[in-house]
PDB file of all heavy atoms in Angstrom:
ATOM      1  N   GLN A1487       8.363  -6.819  -3.973  1.00 84.00           N
ATOM      2  CA  GLN A1487       8.364  -6.478  -5.391  1.00 84.00           C
ATOM      3  C   GLN A1487       8.992  -5.107  -5.661  1.00 84.00           C
ATOM      4  O   GLN A1487       9.746  -4.955  -6.607  1.00 84.00           O
ATOM      5  CB  GLN A1487       6.926  -6.495  -5.914  1.00 84.00           C
ATOM      6  CG  GLN A1487       6.803  -6.229  -7.389  1.00 84.00           C
ATOM      7  CD  GLN A1487       7.163  -7.415  -8.241  1.00 84.00           C
ATOM      8  OE1 GLN A1487       7.062  -8.540  -7.793  1.00 84.00           O
ATOM      9  NE2 GLN A1487       7.591  -7.168  -9.445  1.00 84.00           N
ATOM     10  N   PHE A1488       8.685  -4.113  -4.836  1.00 83.00           N
ATOM     11  CA  PHE A1488       9.066  -2.737  -5.133  1.00 83.00           C
ATOM     12  C   PHE A1488      10.010  -2.117  -4.120  1.00 83.00           C
ATOM     13  O   PHE A1488      10.359  -0.940  -4.236  1.00 83.00           O
ATOM     14  CB  PHE A1488       7.820  -1.860  -5.261  1.00 83.00           C
ATOM     15  CG  PHE A1488       6.880  -2.336  -6.323  1.00 83.00           C
ATOM     16  CD1 PHE A1488       5.642  -2.845  -5.989  1.00 83.00           C
ATOM     17  CD2 PHE A1488       7.234  -2.293  -7.647  1.00 83.00           C
ATOM     18  CE1 PHE A1488       4.774  -3.293  -6.951  1.00 83.00           C
ATOM     19  CE2 PHE A1488       6.379  -2.742  -8.632  1.00 83.00           C
ATOM     20  CZ  PHE A1488       5.139  -3.250  -8.277  1.00 83.00           C
ATOM     21  N   GLY A1489      10.405  -2.838  -3.109  1.00 87.00           N
ATOM     22  CA  GLY A1489      11.378  -2.351  -2.144  1.00 87.00           C
ATOM     23  C   GLY A1489      10.791  -1.381  -1.135  1.00 87.00           C
ATOM     24  O   GLY A1489       9.584  -1.332  -0.902  1.00 87.00           O
ATOM     25  N   ALA A1490      11.667  -0.600  -0.567  1.00 87.00           N
ATOM     26  CA  ALA A1490      11.272   0.310   0.504  1.00 87.00           C
ATOM     27  C   ALA A1490      10.338   1.411   0.002  1.00 87.00           C
ATOM     28  O   ALA A1490       9.426   1.831   0.719  1.00 87.00           O
ATOM     29  CB  ALA A1490      12.513   0.936   1.135  1.00 87.00           C
ATOM     30  N   MET A1491      10.529   1.872  -1.229  1.00 89.00           N
ATOM     31  CA  MET A1491       9.652   2.924  -1.751  1.00 89.00           C
ATOM     32  C   MET A1491       8.224   2.422  -1.908  1.00 89.00           C
ATOM     33  O   MET A1491       7.267   3.178  -1.724  1.00 89.00           O
ATOM     34  CB  MET A1491      10.175   3.443  -3.097  1.00 89.00           C
ATOM     35  CG  MET A1491      11.341   4.385  -2.966  1.00 89.00           C
ATOM     36  SD  MET A1491      11.052   5.784  -1.871  1.00 89.00           S
ATOM     37  CE  MET A1491       9.821   6.671  -2.771  1.00 89.00           C
ATOM     38  N   GLY A1492       8.055   1.160  -2.237  1.00 88.00           N
ATOM     39  CA  GLY A1492       6.719   0.588  -2.313  1.00 88.00           C
ATOM     40  C   GLY A1492       6.050   0.573  -0.956  1.00 88.00           C
ATOM     41  O   GLY A1492       4.856   0.864  -0.825  1.00 88.00           O
ATOM     42  N   LEU A1493       6.821   0.246   0.059  1.00 86.00           N
ATOM     43  CA  LEU A1493       6.285   0.238   1.423  1.00 86.00           C
ATOM     44  C   LEU A1493       5.929   1.655   1.867  1.00 86.00           C
ATOM     45  O   LEU A1493       4.886   1.874   2.497  1.00 86.00           O
ATOM     46  CB  LEU A1493       7.304  -0.377   2.377  1.00 86.00           C
ATOM     47  CG  LEU A1493       6.818  -0.697   3.770  1.00 86.00           C
ATOM     48  CD1 LEU A1493       5.690  -1.708   3.715  1.00 86.00           C
ATOM     49  CD2 LEU A1493       7.945  -1.240   4.598  1.00 86.00           C
ATOM     50  N   VAL A1494       6.749   2.621   1.519  1.00 89.00           N
ATOM     51  CA  VAL A1494       6.456   4.021   1.847  1.00 89.00           C
ATOM     52  C   VAL A1494       5.183   4.477   1.131  1.00 89.00           C
ATOM     53  O   VAL A1494       4.328   5.153   1.721  1.00 89.00           O
ATOM     54  CB  VAL A1494       7.650   4.929   1.480  1.00 89.00           C
ATOM     55  CG1 VAL A1494       7.270   6.396   1.541  1.00 89.00           C
ATOM     56  CG2 VAL A1494       8.828   4.636   2.384  1.00 89.00           C
ATOM     57  N   ALA A1495       5.024   4.080  -0.121  1.00 89.00           N
ATOM     58  CA  ALA A1495       3.835   4.469  -0.880  1.00 89.00           C
ATOM     59  C   ALA A1495       2.569   3.882  -0.261  1.00 89.00           C
ATOM     60  O   ALA A1495       1.558   4.574  -0.123  1.00 89.00           O
ATOM     61  CB  ALA A1495       3.968   4.014  -2.334  1.00 89.00           C
ATOM     62  N   VAL A1496       2.621   2.619   0.133  1.00 86.00           N
ATOM     63  CA  VAL A1496       1.457   1.999   0.765  1.00 86.00           C
ATOM     64  C   VAL A1496       1.173   2.644   2.118  1.00 86.00           C
ATOM     65  O   VAL A1496       0.014   2.866   2.478  1.00 86.00           O
ATOM     66  CB  VAL A1496       1.664   0.472   0.899  1.00 86.00           C
ATOM     67  CG1 VAL A1496       0.597  -0.152   1.763  1.00 86.00           C
ATOM     68  CG2 VAL A1496       1.690  -0.176  -0.464  1.00 86.00           C
ATOM     69  N   ALA A1497       2.220   2.979   2.859  1.00 88.00           N
ATOM     70  CA  ALA A1497       2.024   3.651   4.144  1.00 88.00           C
ATOM     71  C   ALA A1497       1.377   5.023   3.946  1.00 88.00           C
ATOM     72  O   ALA A1497       0.466   5.402   4.696  1.00 88.00           O
ATOM     73  CB  ALA A1497       3.357   3.788   4.876  1.00 88.00           C
ATOM     74  N   LEU A1498       1.829   5.758   2.945  1.00 91.00           N
ATOM     75  CA  LEU A1498       1.223   7.059   2.665  1.00 91.00           C
ATOM     76  C   LEU A1498      -0.233   6.914   2.240  1.00 91.00           C
ATOM     77  O   LEU A1498      -1.088   7.713   2.642  1.00 91.00           O
ATOM     78  CB  LEU A1498       2.012   7.797   1.585  1.00 91.00           C
ATOM     79  CG  LEU A1498       3.298   8.459   2.038  1.00 91.00           C
ATOM     80  CD1 LEU A1498       4.098   8.932   0.831  1.00 91.00           C
ATOM     81  CD2 LEU A1498       3.015   9.609   2.973  1.00 91.00           C
TER      82      LEU A1498
END
Side-chain angles (χ1 to χ4, degrees):
Q1487 183 77 25
F1488 302 112
M1491 282 306 293
L1493 191 61
V1494 168
V1496 170
L1498 282 170

